[in-house]
């Protein structure tokens, strides 16, 4: 149990376009989802916390107008990178947890974004 | 910052040996979690230790937590080549926020 999927697993887009990444909890309801970004050989950096039905909370330095997060249901959160630039190229990973007595966060397999 | 900091940055051992990785953090936590990541992949949850626990075991994994020293350690016993990965500690504070350090890159040589 506790499987989180991401789609797509990799995407290449041109500079200036927008890309949407989906994060789904497959066998549990996720009241909270998190979005991280990871550059090569670096740590995961938390971008934002997403609660179902409410606005996302962004970490300091993360542009909310550039990284649009929508947590429309208890099993789906989306991250849209708007007007992507080459410096947005990164590995984007989501995680999910329930509001029950389950403290672990379950991570998706990640999405590799390359902006050309 | 609540960032967990792992030590060492890189560790290379022979199959069958034990691997110990350490983690330090800065302020109070609800719990501390350890994850592994294979290159280019997502994170796999290994073990969670709560702030009122001192030691926890899971298979070949042993985690300790010393809240007075704000440190934790992960021991992998009888390592295997398949254990080769990056290992991250993630202290959890309020709001379920996890902050990750740079990780320890473990290489287990067959």
């Amino acid at each position: 149990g506790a499987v989180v999927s991401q789609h797509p697993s990799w995407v290449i887009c041109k500079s200036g376009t927008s890309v949407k990444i989906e994060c789904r909890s497959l066998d549990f309801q996720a009241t909270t989802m998190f979005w991280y970004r990871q550059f090569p050989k670096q740590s995961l950096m938390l971008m934002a916390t997403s609660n179902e039905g409410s606005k996302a909370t962004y970490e300091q330095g993360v542009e909310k107008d550039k990284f649009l997060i929508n947590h429309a249901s208890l099993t789906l959160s989306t991250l849209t990178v708007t007007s992507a630039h080459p410096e947005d190229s990164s590995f984007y990973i989501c995680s999910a947890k329930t509001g029950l007595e389950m403290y672990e966060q379950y991570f998706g397999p990640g999405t590799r974004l390359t902006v050309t | 910052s609540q960032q967990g900091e792992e030590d060492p940055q890189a560790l290379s051992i022979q199959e069958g040996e034990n691997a110990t990785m350490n983690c330090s953090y800065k302020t109070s936590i609800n719990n501390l979690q350890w994850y592994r990541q294979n290159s280019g992949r997502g994170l796999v949850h290994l073990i969670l230790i709560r702030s009122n626990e001192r030691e926890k075991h899971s298979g070949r994994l042993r985690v300790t937590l010393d809240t007075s020293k704000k440190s934790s350690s992960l021991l992998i016993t009888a390592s295997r080549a398949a254990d080769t990965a990056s290992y991250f500690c993630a202290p959890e504070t309020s709001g379920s926020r996890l902050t990750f350090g740079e990780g320890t890159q473990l290489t287990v040589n067959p």
Side-chain angles (χ1 to χ4, degrees), chain B residues 55-102:
Chain B
E55 187 171 311
K56 204 161 182 180
H57 296 253
S58 177
R60 293 184 296 113
L61 305 180
R62 172 177 167 257
V63 168
T64 64
L65 179 64
D66 187 336
T67 53
S68 66
K69 295 182 180 178
K70 294 184 171 55
S71 66
S72 173
S73 69
L74 170 66
L75 168 67
I76 303 175
T77 60
S79 64
R80 305 165 182 168
D83 294 329
T84 295
S86 292
Y87 291 82
F88 296 90
C89 74
E92 181 180 318
T93 58
S94 61
S96 302
R97 293 175 71 253
L98 296 181
T99 51
F100 292 83
E102 299 295 322

Side-chain angles (χ1 to χ4, degrees), chain B residues 6-71:
Chain B
E6 294 88 352
D7 173 63
Q9 288 187 325
L11 179 61
S12 181
I13 58 174
Q14 295 299 123
E15 209 165 25
E17 295 179 340
N18 295 342
T20 299
M21 289 160 269
N22 301 298
C23 168
S24 60
Y25 56 92
K26 295 193 173 85
T27 62
S28 298
I29 59 173
N30 295 331
N31 61 66
L32 186 142
Q33 303 182 38
W34 284 91
Y35 291 84
R36 66 172 279 168
Q37 183 182 35
N38 288 81
S39 181
R41 308 288 292 274
L43 272 69
V44 174
H45 183 268
L46 294 178
I47 198 165
L48 176 151
I49 186 165
R50 293 188 172 85
S51 59
N52 60 353
E53 296 177 311
R54 292 296 167 259
E55 187 171 311
K56 204 161 182 180
H57 296 253
S58 177
R60 293 184 296 113
L61 305 180
R62 172 177 167 257
V63 168
T64 64
L65 179 64
D66 187 336
T67 53
S68 66
K69 295 182 180 178
K70 294 184 171 55
S71 66

Side-chain angles (χ1 to χ4, degrees), chain A residues 32 34 36 38 41-46 49 59 91 93 97 101 103-110 112, chain B residues 3 31 33 35 37 39-45 47-48 50 88 92 95-103:
Chain A
T32 306
F34 304 86
Y36 297 83
Q38 185 180 32
K41 299 191 184 300
Q42 294 188 24
S43 181
L44 279 76
M45 299 301 297
L46 179 64
T49 301
E59 295 298 304
F91 194 52
I93 306 176
K97 67 174 292 182
E101 191 73 10
Y103 297 95
E104 294 88 347
Q105 288 188 26
Y106 294 92
F107 283 76
R112 173 79 55 197
Chain B
Q3 186 182 51
N31 61 66
Q33 303 182 38
Y35 291 84
Q37 183 182 35
S39 181
R41 308 288 292 274
L43 272 69
V44 174
H45 183 268
I47 198 165
L48 176 151
R50 293 188 172 85
F88 296 90
E92 181 180 318
S96 302
R97 293 175 71 253
L98 296 181
T99 51
F100 292 83
E102 299 295 322

